[in-house]
Amino acid sequence: MAFASTSSNTTCTNLIPTHSLSSSTKKGFNSNSFSSSSSSTSNSFSFFSRKYKTTKRTKCALQSPPSISANSWNLLQKASAIALDAIENTLLEREKKHPLPKTVDPNVQIAGNFFPVPETPVHHCLPVEGTIPDDIDGVYLRNGANPMFEPTSGHHLFDGDGMIYAVKFDNGSASYACRFTETQRLVQERAYGKPVFPKAIGELHGHSGIAKLLLFHARGLCGLVDHSQGIGVANAGLVYFNNRLLAMSEDDLPYEVRVTQTGDLKTVGRFDFNGQLKSTMIAHPKVDPVSGELFALSYDVIKKPYLKYFRFSPDGHKSDDVAINLGGPTMVHDFAMTENFVVVPDHQVVFKMSEMITGGSPVVYDKEKVSRFGVLDKYAGDDSGIKWFEVPDCFCFHLWNAWEEPEIDEVVVIGSCMTPADSIFNDSHEQLKSVLSEIRLNLKTGESTRRAIISPENDVNLEAGMVNKNLLGRKSKYAYLAIADPWPKVSGFAKVDLSTGEITKFIYGDEKYGGEPLFLPRETNSKSEDDGHILSFVHDEKTSKSELQIVNAITLQLEATVKLPSRVPYGFHGTFVSAKSLATQA
């Protein structure tokens, strides 16, 4: 489809600097080149050409000289730092003698367009092919993992520092910026000059993982780092609630990030809802489109209660925690809600810290456990009324929607069932499959059923996506989901009729790959559920250039392509904040 460049109602006074994007892609790290030097310069990224030959060394904006550094340490702290660094260097040398599994090998996990990028300040008046729809007015934001420092050992994609990529729309014109979320972890590592916080998935394996935990706590006792202010990376989810944009990962409190009038991003800080939130919060809270409330979970891998449920009123007042009784610490990455219930998964991916003692990973697939879903009243004061439904061999990393069908006493849950369940955390010889499924929970009989929504001959791996947010918790006809093929890349997205299984695909283009599709409804009360647009960041692996594609959700025709000034790595989840909402930011 041919496009002509459009003019903008916005007067553009600056030009986008011309520079090669191909210098910011890397095929992989040399496993023998990891540095453990305390110099931030020696640990800064190397960016590579399309032929993956080193062209220059670039420092991220956040790697400028920190305001607090090792220069403020006393003599005892400096001696402690030298001793602990020497122990760490010895540990790293021993690790190099053993090959890393692909699930934590930086050469695999952050190769190609998964490789990190430096910050990009705001660039206005971006080139546009086609016409940006008039109803798109606000900012599209997507979160992702973007390690500030080159990994010194094991690294999983989920371990990277949070970076938000933002395209702001204003009267048919678009601007772009990307910034790190300045977590306490990132700020302290910047000051230290190298990564010192343990990576939850990439490094915490076996005896070396235990040693790194001990090193981290030793540095804390010596006053070299402060782990009391959180250890999270804020790289997974984004939600706009009560006039605040929150960046989240399930290992910490959320971080508040402000979108400036120019389209830049500024981290406000770690956000505890004015002292009300005392625990971590998962990265997939749910905003009820009718009540305006926020519903969330928190899980703990060490102590009981292993899972807590809570909610916030539209003006940010938190309920009491509801402790949900689980048999052991369990990964609960996502959940679902209906008009009256929350649906909580209790699946077979669990945490067993004792596995580290025997040399294994604490993230374990428990074959003896039967997956189940709990249905709890949204306004319950405790978990005494929760109803559990066994759903064997079902691991849903993400749930797309849920609703009630009271005439038959059933709760319907839509999710992607992934096998092998732990394949994204542990090496597996089985090919990953993610099957879009309808799970029915009968409140009267206590029985469950599960069926694949798409017929086997048309089935594809569908992971990451959403339904119309105005129908969250209500019956929806369509879901918009990433086509994860070839895994872990995303070649396009699918619009799926959840009742018939009919699937319509939109492919980004030859050697073009993207991520999660975001459905942006045209109006809150549109007559047609699919009246809106799909937005997705897309990267062209032939040219090493990135763009934002805007697709009509009814016709699946490309309406506009925004050309971006720098590469956007493949990432995680996003949101859209309207111009009206931006005007009322806290």
Side-chain angles (χ1 to χ4, degrees), residues 215-344:
L215 272 171
F216 177 61
H217 284 285
R219 285 178 170 131
L221 289 172
C222 296
L224 307 178
V225 296
D226 179 5
H227 42 67
S228 68
Q229 300 301 311
I231 60 172
V233 288
N235 66 13
L238 295 169
V239 68
Y240 191 80
F241 173 71
N242 191 26
N243 301 320
R244 288 178 171 88
L245 175 67
L246 303 179
M248 301 160 292
S249 58
E250 53 212 57
D251 52 0
D252 205 343
L253 300 179
Y255 275 81
E256 181 182 354
V257 178
R258 184 173 180 82
V259 182
T260 71
Q261 287 187 341
T262 64
D264 209 347
L265 302 163
K266 301 290 184 183
T267 302
V268 177
R270 201 162 174 249
F271 186 65
D272 62 2
F273 292 84
N274 297 319
Q276 300 178 94
L277 184 60
K278 308 294 185 182
S279 63
T280 63
M281 187 173 89
I282 69 168
H284 291 287
K286 312 297 179 188
V287 177
D288 190 301
V290 176
S291 71
E293 296 165 292
L294 183 78
F295 299 86
L297 298 174
S298 171
Y299 68 79
D300 197 299
V301 302
I302 302 295
K303 64 182 186 298
K304 293 182 177 181
Y306 297 123
L307 185 65
K308 293 184 290 188
Y309 160 70
F310 47 89
R311 66 185 187 277
F312 296 92
S313 66
D315 58 357
H317 287 93
K318 182 179 174 295
S319 71
D320 291 335
D321 291 335
V322 175
I324 297 177
N325 185 27
L326 299 182
T330 301
M331 178 173 289
V332 186
H333 181 74
D334 199 359
F335 72 110
M337 72 171 187
T338 69
E339 289 186 63
N340 297 293
F341 303 109
V342 287
V343 182
V344 180

Side-chain angles (χ1 to χ4, degrees), residues 23-29 33 41-49 53-59 115-116 148 150 567:
S23 63
S24 53
T25 294
K26 186 177 180 183
K27 203 110 184 178
F29 291 117
S33 67
T41 303
S42 65
N43 276 287
S44 61
F45 297 127
S46 295
F47 292 99
F48 290 74
S49 68
K53 294 180 180 178
T54 305
T55 56
K56 61 179 178 179
R57 296 189 68 83
T58 304
K59 287 198 296 182
F115 193 72
M148 182 174 70
E150 181 170 319
R567 183 173 61 84

Side-chain angles (χ1 to χ4, degrees), residues 58-200:
T58 304
K59 287 198 296 182
C60 296
L62 286 179
Q63 291 179 325
S64 55
S67 56
I68 301 174
S69 70
N71 293 330
S72 64
W73 294 341
N74 60 38
L75 287 175
L76 181 59
Q77 287 176 313
K78 290 179 180 179
S80 299
I82 292 171
L84 292 172
D85 283 355
I87 294 171
E88 183 178 48
N89 291 341
T90 301
L91 179 64
L92 293 174
E93 287 301 316
R94 291 181 63 183
E95 282 187 340
K96 290 177 184 178
K97 297 176 182 179
H98 306 282
L100 291 168
K102 63 182 180 181
T103 50
V104 295
D105 184 353
N107 290 287
V108 176
Q109 292 293 303
I110 46 179
N113 194 46
F114 290 97
F115 193 72
V117 295
E119 290 186 318
T120 299
V122 182
H123 289 70
H124 296 285
C125 303
L126 302 180
V128 178
E129 293 180 351
T131 302
I132 296 172
D134 292 339
D135 55 289
I136 298 182
D137 189 19
V139 61
Y140 168 53
L141 307 118
R142 201 213 64 203
N143 212 344
N146 195 83
M148 182 174 70
F149 288 107
E150 181 170 319
T152 55
S153 57
H155 179 94
H156 187 280
L157 177 63
F158 295 173
D159 289 326
D161 297 295
M163 176 174 273
I164 300 175
Y165 311 85
V167 175
K168 189 170 184 289
F169 300 93
D170 183 15
N171 293 320
S173 179
S175 64
Y176 172 79
C178 69
R179 297 288 188 185
F180 281 105
T181 298
E182 295 200 38
T183 61
Q184 281 293 314
R185 177 189 189 115
L186 182 143
V187 169
Q188 291 190 57
E189 289 190 337
R190 177 183 63 194
Y192 204 103
K194 69 174 186 176
V196 290
F197 281 65
K199 295 179 178 178

Side-chain angles (χ1 to χ4, degrees), residues 321-373:
D321 291 335
V322 175
I324 297 177
N325 185 27
L326 299 182
T330 301
M331 178 173 289
V332 186
H333 181 74
D334 199 359
F335 72 110
M337 72 171 187
T338 69
E339 289 186 63
N340 297 293
F341 303 109
V342 287
V343 182
V344 180
D346 178 20
H347 290 337
Q348 293 168 286
V349 177
V350 301
F351 297 96
K352 293 186 178 181
M353 305 307 290
S354 59
E355 291 292 315
M356 295 176 67
I357 298 173
T358 58
S361 166
V363 182
V364 177
Y365 173 61
D366 186 349
K367 295 181 181 179
E368 303 302 317
K369 184 177 179 180
V370 178
S371 285
R372 59 180 187 163
F373 287 88

